[in-house]
Amino acid sequence: MHIGIIGLGLIGGSLGLDLRSQGHYVWGLSRNQLTCDRAISLGVADFACLELGEIKDLDRTEVIFICTPIDAILSTIEAIAPHLNSSIILTDVGSVKSAIVYKAQKLHSRFIGGHPMAGTAFNGISAAQKNLFQDRPCVLTANSDTDPKAFNILRSLWQSVGAVVYECDPETHDRAVAWISHLPILVSAGLILACGREKDRAIAQLSQHLASSGFQDTSRVGGGNPQLGSLIAEYNQMALLDSLRQYQVVLADLIAQVESGNWESLEQSLILAQQLRNLYLP
Amino acid sequence: MHIGIIGLGLIGGSLGLDLRSQGHYVWGLSRNQLTCDRAISLGVADFACLELGEIKDLDRTEVIFICTPIDAILSTIEAIAPHLNSSIILTDVGSVKSAIVYKAQKLHSRFIGGHPMAGTAFNGISAAQKNLFQDRPCVLTANSDTDPKAFNILRSLWQSVGAVVYECDPETHDRAVAWISHLPILVSAGLILACGREKDRAIAQLSQHLASSGFQDTSRVGGGNPQLGSLIAEYNQMALLDSLRQYQVVLADLIAQVESGNWESLEQSLILAQQLRNLYLP
């Protein structure tokens, strides 16, 4: 199969490595010549360039993965759609779906939203690795406008690189990731910012000295990439807001239990949390 | 030095191993005969028994570490204090201090509050290990009633097992650990409980399938020992409440930024969180 990858970072690069291992021909597109050169030398792509026009036999391409940051996905589709055969399957790897899928389908009807849940602590093409998607979930979104044949082809491709594919509509995806991926970012950032409000210098310094693995784990995603966190909130605003408001209600409950000294009820809440958490562990 | 350890779990057991390596004579007290037997066979104590009365030459003991759960510390001191020479230094390893130190000092004037910040995922004497306290912080509390000589002896003992000792009053300790240890438990438990409120079965199930390292890290301490979490809240109620209320304010700010779509301001908050977090990393 001839496959294109636009955006050669961690996800695009890793996908290129795996797809080429499967025997596919992969071309890559990047805004950066150095990234194109690295893509070739690392084995991410058979051919890589800066402009769609440089790709020979573009009509032989069957699937194009858009692996840019989420705020560049729609503008990328807008730019390339006029040059594409209508039979080409277009897909993305963005962590939000509703804000992208419906607009993308209007620009190119054979668009299917995708979101592989895979990552490392590193970014960029140098972080690309084989088998990044092995046993990792990958959501593909389907709605009434989705072509079932295109969906099956894309599902097979993700399965061929080891991903466990889930199918749902864009809204279900966005609400699910709001809970387990986007809400944690703000909950965790809030923890750090609250600690930063301590006005007593001795207490603040001691808390910094005493912070250990519990604080570090709970604050990790809140201390992550600020631009990404903000983009995610922007593109998944409504689902995130709903999760945040429900979190506020739960927090108020916990505070009321501490305030009233209802330790039995607090312990019951913590027992429930411990039990519920098991549902989210692999 | 003759040293006693009451409560032979992870902390008491590990402390026994290290103190004996330093050449001290260590006796242990446990409510469980099997634990006493294990204490001897593991090298945690030279002698271990169920009752203080069984300890020969109790008057030769210079320091007693109370390593029971926090809700048993005061009752333990109440039970043993009448039998102790007034020169014995009494100390504990509880994770809250104000609720213990002042009452303990009334029961035995040479009491000094202690809190080594060390632990593993495991509990009990079988989890005891050498060098558990190496390079870990240990807080010792001092107030106007604290005997400086006793404080120095205790500090030297903790330093001899590798701990980095911090000195402060009980209130400073409690407010510092409320931020970095007790607040994270409820923030994290709240995240799990909020996710558990999702009523749509498809969304709930998908979120469980998609949860990955970000959710797992952020929810870890909230899914920990419910009894311990509840006890900590009970014994550090006021400091924890203050942290929780300040967290509520920060959370409301973040929600307002998402609600109003003020992405620049949200990104600034996340940049600040990222910078602040570095102050809490070792």
Side-chain angles (χ1 to χ4, degrees):
Chain A
M1 207 181 275
H2 275 227
I3 296 173
I5 297 177
I6 302 181
L8 300 168
L10 169 68
I11 298 293
S14 300
L15 192 56
L17 288 173
D18 284 353
L19 291 172
R20 287 189 71 239
S21 306
Q22 302 285 323
H24 300 294
Y25 173 87
V26 173
W27 57 256
L29 210 64
S30 166
R31 288 176 308 179
N32 186 322
Q33 184 59 48
L34 280 176
T35 304
C36 293
D37 298 343
R38 292 231 56 178
I40 303 292
S41 64
L42 291 170
V44 158
D46 295 279
F47 177 76
C49 58
L50 301 172
E51 302 286 344
L52 196 72
E54 297 175 54
I55 294 155
K56 296 162 205 155
D57 300 328
L58 181 61
D59 283 351
R60 292 184 61 189
T61 303
E62 293 173 65
V63 180
I64 297 177
F65 290 88
I66 298 167
C67 302
T68 66
I70 39 179
D71 56 340
I73 295 173
L74 286 171
S75 59
T76 300
I77 298 175
E78 228 160 6
I80 65 170
H83 309 284
L84 300 182
N85 189 316
S86 65
S87 68
I88 289 186
I89 299 167
L90 212 55
T91 185
D92 75 329
V93 298
S95 48
V96 297
K97 295 273 67 80
S98 309
I100 289 168
V101 168
Y102 299 106
K103 288 175 186 160
Q105 283 177 328
K106 280 187 188 149
L107 294 165
H108 184 86
S109 67
R110 269 196 138 199
F111 177 88
I112 292 167
H115 179 204
M117 304 283 289
T120 70
F122 304 99
N123 292 316
I125 193 161
S126 307
Q129 55 183 80
K130 282 193 182 171
N131 301 318
L132 182 68
F133 309 103
Q134 187 66 48
D135 301 325
R136 302 297 311 148
C138 177
V139 180
L140 297 181
T141 65
N143 56 349
S144 53
D145 289 338
T146 304
D147 172 8
K149 273 191 193 164
F151 190 91
N152 288 339
I153 291 169
L154 192 59
R155 176 165 52 199
S156 298
L157 273 180
W158 277 110
Q159 286 171 338
S160 77
V161 300
V164 181
V165 175
Y166 295 93
E167 173 186 345
C168 65
D169 58 76
E171 291 74 18
T172 298
H173 167 275
D174 287 352
R175 290 178 60 186
V177 294
W179 285 121
I180 50 87
S181 182
H182 305 167
L183 176 61
I185 295 173
L186 294 193
V187 161
S188 174
L191 172 64
I192 307 169
L193 294 170
C195 291
R197 285 168 65 97
E198 176 58 60
K199 292 283 178 288
D200 183 305
R201 201 176 158 79
I203 296 169
Q205 286 189 338
L206 185 63
S207 69
Q208 290 160 17
H209 289 305
L210 300 184
S212 64
S213 60
F215 180 82
Q216 282 161 33
D217 281 2
T218 318
S219 66
R220 185 174 66 80
V221 297
N225 186 328
Q227 290 75 31
L228 185 62
S230 173
L231 267 182
I232 279 173
E234 180 177 350
Y235 279 78
N236 201 16
Q237 186 182 22
M238 289 307 140
L240 177 58
L241 262 183
D242 181 57
S243 293
L244 279 165
R245 288 187 185 124
Q246 296 205 47
Y247 181 75
Q248 247 182 335
V249 172
V250 169
L251 186 71
D253 275 356
L254 292 172
I255 293 177
Q257 290 164 1
V258 176
E259 206 160 19
S260 63
N262 194 340
W263 310 123
E264 208 170 307
S265 152
L266 180 64
E267 190 176 322
Q268 284 308 314
S269 300
L270 295 176
I271 288 172
L272 179 59
Q274 191 179 44
Q275 290 167 343
L276 274 171
R277 184 169 183 262
N278 290 327
L279 301 175
Y280 295 83
L281 298 182
Chain B
M1 208 182 272
H2 275 227
I3 296 173
I5 298 177
I6 301 180
L8 300 169
L10 169 69
I11 298 293
S14 301
L15 193 55
L17 288 174
D18 284 353
L19 291 172
R20 286 188 74 239
S21 306
Q22 302 284 323
H24 299 295
Y25 173 86
V26 173
W27 57 257
L29 211 63
S30 166
R31 289 176 307 178
N32 186 321
Q33 185 59 48
L34 280 175
T35 304
C36 293
D37 298 343
R38 294 232 54 180
I40 303 292
S41 64
L42 291 171
V44 158
D46 294 279
F47 176 76
C49 59
L50 301 171
E51 302 287 344
L52 196 71
E54 298 174 55
I55 294 157
K56 296 162 203 155
D57 301 328
L58 181 62
D59 282 353
R60 291 182 65 188
T61 304
E62 292 173 66
V63 180
I64 297 177
F65 289 88
I66 299 167
C67 302
T68 66
I70 41 179
D71 55 339
I73 296 172
L74 285 173
S75 58
T76 300
I77 298 175
E78 228 159 7
I80 65 169
H83 309 285
L84 300 182
N85 189 317
S86 65
S87 68
I88 289 186
I89 300 168
L90 212 56
T91 185
D92 75 329
V93 297
S95 50
V96 297
K97 296 274 67 82
S98 308
I100 289 168
V101 169
Y102 299 107
K103 289 175 184 159
Q105 283 177 328
K106 281 185 187 149
L107 295 164
H108 184 86
S109 67
R110 271 196 137 199
F111 177 88
I112 292 167
H115 179 205
M117 306 282 290
T120 70
F122 305 100
N123 292 315
I125 192 159
S126 308
Q129 56 179 245
K130 282 193 181 172
N131 301 319
L132 181 67
F133 309 104
Q134 188 65 48
D135 301 324
R136 303 296 311 146
C138 177
V139 179
L140 297 180
T141 64
N143 56 349
S144 53
D145 289 337
T146 305
D147 173 8
K149 272 190 192 166
F151 189 92
N152 288 340
I153 291 169
L154 192 59
R155 176 164 53 199
S156 297
L157 273 180
W158 277 111
Q159 286 171 339
S160 77
V161 301
V164 181
V165 175
Y166 294 95
E167 174 186 345
C168 66
D169 57 77
E171 291 74 19
T172 298
H173 167 275
D174 288 351
R175 290 178 61 187
V177 295
W179 283 122
I180 51 87
S181 182
H182 305 168
L183 175 61
I185 294 174
L186 293 193
V187 161
S188 173
L191 172 65
I192 306 169
L193 293 169
C195 291
R197 285 168 66 98
E198 175 58 59
K199 292 282 179 288
D200 184 303
R201 203 177 156 78
I203 295 170
Q205 286 190 338
L206 185 64
S207 69
Q208 290 161 17
H209 289 305
L210 300 184
S212 64
S213 61
F215 180 82
Q216 283 162 31
D217 281 1
T218 318
S219 67
R220 186 175 66 80
V221 298
N225 185 328
Q227 290 76 30
L228 185 63
S230 173
L231 267 182
I232 278 173
E234 181 177 350
Y235 279 78
N236 202 17
Q237 186 182 21
M238 288 308 139
L240 177 59
L241 262 183
D242 181 57
S243 293
L244 280 165
R245 288 186 185 124
Q246 296 205 47
Y247 180 75
Q248 246 182 335
V249 172
V250 169
L251 186 70
D253 274 356
L254 291 172
I255 292 177
Q257 289 164 2
V258 176
E259 205 160 20
S260 63
N262 194 341
W263 311 123
E264 207 169 307
S265 152
L266 180 64
E267 191 176 323
Q268 284 307 313
S269 300
L270 296 175
I271 289 172
L272 179 59
Q274 192 178 46
Q275 291 167 343
L276 274 172
R277 184 169 183 262
N278 289 327
L279 301 175
Y280 295 83
L281 298 181

